[in-house]
Amino acid sequence: MPTDAPSAPITQDVLTLPRKLPASARTNIIGLTRDQLRAALIEAGCPEKQAKMRLGQIWQWVYFFGLRDFDQMTNLSKDFRALLAEKFEISLPEVVTRQVSEDGTRKYLVRIQGGHEVEVVYIPETDRGTLCISSQVGCTLTCSFCHTGTQKLVRNLTAGEIVGQVMLARDDLNEWPQKGAHNDATARLVSNIVLMGMGEPLYNFENVRDAMNIVMDGEGIALGRRRITLSTSGVVPEIARTAQEIGCLLAVSFHATTDEIRDQLVPINKRWNIATLLDALRAYPGLTNSERITFEYVMLDGVNDSKEDAYRLVELLRGIPAKVNLIPFNEWPGAPYKRSSGNRIHAFADIIHDAGYASPIRKPRGEDIMAACGQLKSATERARKSKRQIEAEAGL
Ligand code: SAH
Ligand code: SF4
């Protein structure tokens, strides 16, 4: 877009849109797939014969070393660097605030194009460091226990904005290798990624896929496919593609053992019910014991936490290599549920465990900074739902 284009006349429509930052005329490299970047280089004037080599060099600078400045790409000629600087940029979403919890969890509030905000959470543990990233601003779905679900979808994130979340966490943790270093996957700070932040990743499939393929690329960040877990509320038609086109691990927000209750908690169940979802999971390509599906199950007091529920869950899981992650409900202001008692959660976990399934109880992290599961919600105030609306949708 030429920068000297006359500005559009201001209309009522424009005034009601969120404040937009001016889009840059340069192409952002972050988020382009290898094929897209190669094509963009050629279009910018890179001779076709050199494009593959240049692509490899740029890719390594950007995704292996984390460089942001073309001028430091010392194996490229001065002229080529100037051309890159004229046509391209390397830009990440902007970190607005960073909060560090007492337990070391870090929560970043990140601003993307258009002034929207999403949250990214880093959870350090003894044997790993997990980064929880977002795929949408808000969510079109309205799970009644989820804080994000109270914020209507504002938009899908681009592939660049998804990869950018990983890169900005690596910036903050100072994790880019120094020049001369080799790719050492053993001592990583961000060793795992979970798509469990804001949004339903399978409703933004292509961008999530492209972003994860960039993150997995062996010449760059090089995170193994089994270190990435995508969590879905159950978008059945996209489940098989997740294995085929991304190859990552799958988690499913299961949360109930009857359609009646699941309809209330995870309304997408009205579209694809428990039986349909389980069929899709049984057919998940490459499903083995070492690549089990994680069933996420939020523990809501008196709603889905009885012993009968636990026994029913075991029956439903039969034949599926699975693990059940029990998530004590994280409360948020105005939430229509309470967390199950510790005793009830343990009794539930024991039944699942005795039936032969791992059933860890997730330890809430970063609660003091509202960084725990389902507490994420950007400050984008637009189109916020009322408590009454949430309850009506949950059938309460
Ligand atoms: N939209 C996707 C991924 C994001 S939610 C999905 O629903 O799977 C990540 C996990 O946190 C999901 O299992 C979700 O159901 C759970 N969750 C949402 N709100 C929660 C809350 N308040 N307490 C505990 N877990 C919650
Ligand atoms: Fe959306 Fe997941 Fe929250 Fe449901 S649990 S509203 S799918 S983010």
Side-chain angles (χ1 to χ4, degrees):
M1 193 174 64
T3 44
D4 58 351
S7 54
I10 296 171
T11 65
Q12 191 59 33
D13 250 348
V14 171
L15 288 173
T16 56
L17 286 172
R19 193 171 61 86
K20 273 212 165 102
L21 304 172
S24 165
R26 299 193 189 95
T27 304
N28 189 7
I29 285 184
I30 307 297
L32 297 181
T33 61
R34 276 182 177 267
D35 286 348
Q36 288 166 342
L37 181 52
R38 185 174 173 276
L41 289 173
I42 293 169
E43 203 191 313
C46 173
E48 220 173 314
K49 272 198 277 181
Q50 291 178 15
K52 191 167 172 224
M53 187 173 80
R54 298 283 172 251
L55 164 68
Q57 291 168 316
I58 296 167
W59 194 274
Q60 195 188 32
W61 284 121
V62 173
Y63 292 118
F64 183 76
F65 290 114
L67 225 64
R68 304 290 146 76
D69 183 354
F70 295 111
D71 236 12
Q72 292 173 15
M73 300 186 177
T74 46
N75 56 358
L76 302 175
S77 73
K78 261 204 142 112
D79 285 352
F80 189 60
R81 282 186 254 161
L83 176 77
L84 288 175
E86 187 196 323
K87 306 276 188 184
F88 294 96
E89 62 183 17
I90 306 169
S91 81
L92 302 190
E94 176 198 350
V95 177
V96 183
T97 56
R98 187 192 79 157
Q99 287 170 277
V100 182
S101 156
E102 284 168 1
D103 67 12
T105 301
R106 296 178 183 210
K107 180 167 92 168
Y108 309 95
L109 179 66
V110 169
R111 186 174 297 145
I112 57 169
Q113 196 69 46
H116 308 302
E117 288 161 352
V118 292
E119 288 176 329
V120 183
V121 179
Y122 175 69
I123 307 151
E125 288 172 279
T126 42
D127 62 335
R128 65 179 65 196
T130 303
L131 191 70
C132 177
I133 61 174
S134 296
S135 56
Q136 299 182 312
V137 185
C139 188
T140 45
L141 302 173
T142 52
C143 302
S144 51
F145 54 89
C146 173
H147 205 197
T148 308
T150 66
Q151 184 192 345
K152 286 184 182 157
L153 180 75
V154 181
R155 74 165 167 84
N156 279 337
L157 298 191
T158 63
E161 289 160 349
I162 299 170
V163 178
Q165 295 172 55
V166 180
M167 298 179 73
L168 63 87
R170 292 188 63 150
D171 282 358
D172 185 48
L173 297 164
N174 200 8
E175 206 191 359
W176 298 104
Q178 299 304 310
K179 221 179 146 207
H182 295 289
N183 215 343
D184 176 10
T186 52
R188 292 203 180 213
L189 295 174
V190 177
S191 64
N192 293 69
I193 291 179
V194 293
L195 280 145
M196 295 187 184
M198 294 166 64
E200 168 48 61
L202 294 189
Y203 275 153
N204 186 15
F205 186 85
E206 280 80 12
N207 290 334
V208 167
R209 175 198 60 201
D210 290 350
M212 291 305 103
N213 280 308
I214 291 170
V215 167
M216 290 186 286
D217 188 293
E219 309 283 306
I221 299 170
L223 217 62
R225 66 177 184 86
R226 285 196 293 204
R227 294 184 170 271
I228 300 175
T229 303
L230 181 151
S231 173
T232 179
S233 57
V235 183
V236 164
E238 306 291 344
I239 285 180
R241 278 179 91 192
T242 306
Q244 285 149 359
E245 298 178 37
I246 309 175
C248 60
L249 303 185
L250 191 69
V252 176
S253 295
F254 208 63
H255 305 319
T257 60
T258 63
D259 281 324
E260 196 196 342
I261 300 294
R262 196 163 190 270
D263 279 353
Q264 286 175 24
L265 299 181
V266 190
I268 201 178
N269 195 67
K270 294 180 196 156
R271 182 97 177 266
W272 296 290
N273 66 14
I274 291 180
T276 313
L277 175 59
L278 290 173
D279 282 347
L281 298 178
R282 267 187 215 100
Y284 194 65
L287 189 56
T288 59
N289 245 337
S290 63
E291 296 191 21
R292 290 171 290 179
I293 291 176
T294 301
F295 283 71
E296 296 162 280
Y297 199 98
V298 63
M299 299 301 289
L300 303 171
D301 186 36
V303 176
N304 63 354
D305 61 349
S306 68
K307 288 187 174 171
E308 291 70 37
D309 278 304
Y311 289 119
R312 262 198 303 269
L313 183 57
V314 168
E315 282 308 310
L316 292 170
L317 294 183
R318 223 167 268 289
I320 304 177
K323 129 179 183 195
V324 180
N325 251 358
L326 298 172
I327 316 173
F329 175 58
N330 293 310
E331 296 185 13
W332 37 271
Y337 303 105
K338 293 262 164 276
R339 178 182 292 184
S340 306
S341 71
N343 281 348
R344 234 167 140 108
I345 298 179
H346 282 286
F348 196 99
D350 287 346
I351 294 170
I352 310 286
H353 179 262
D354 291 346
Y357 296 98
S359 56
I361 300 168
R362 197 182 287 170
K363 195 165 157 268
R365 296 286 304 257
E367 277 187 303
D368 52 336
I369 54 170
M370 284 279 286
C373 281
Q375 290 185 316
L376 304 185
K377 172 162 174 168
S378 72
T380 309
E381 291 293 316
R382 198 169 148 250
R384 180 174 286 191
K385 288 183 211 164
S386 68
K387 187 168 177 249
R388 209 155 7 108
Q389 230 178 325
I390 303 163
E391 288 177 347
E393 279 163 6
L396 296 170

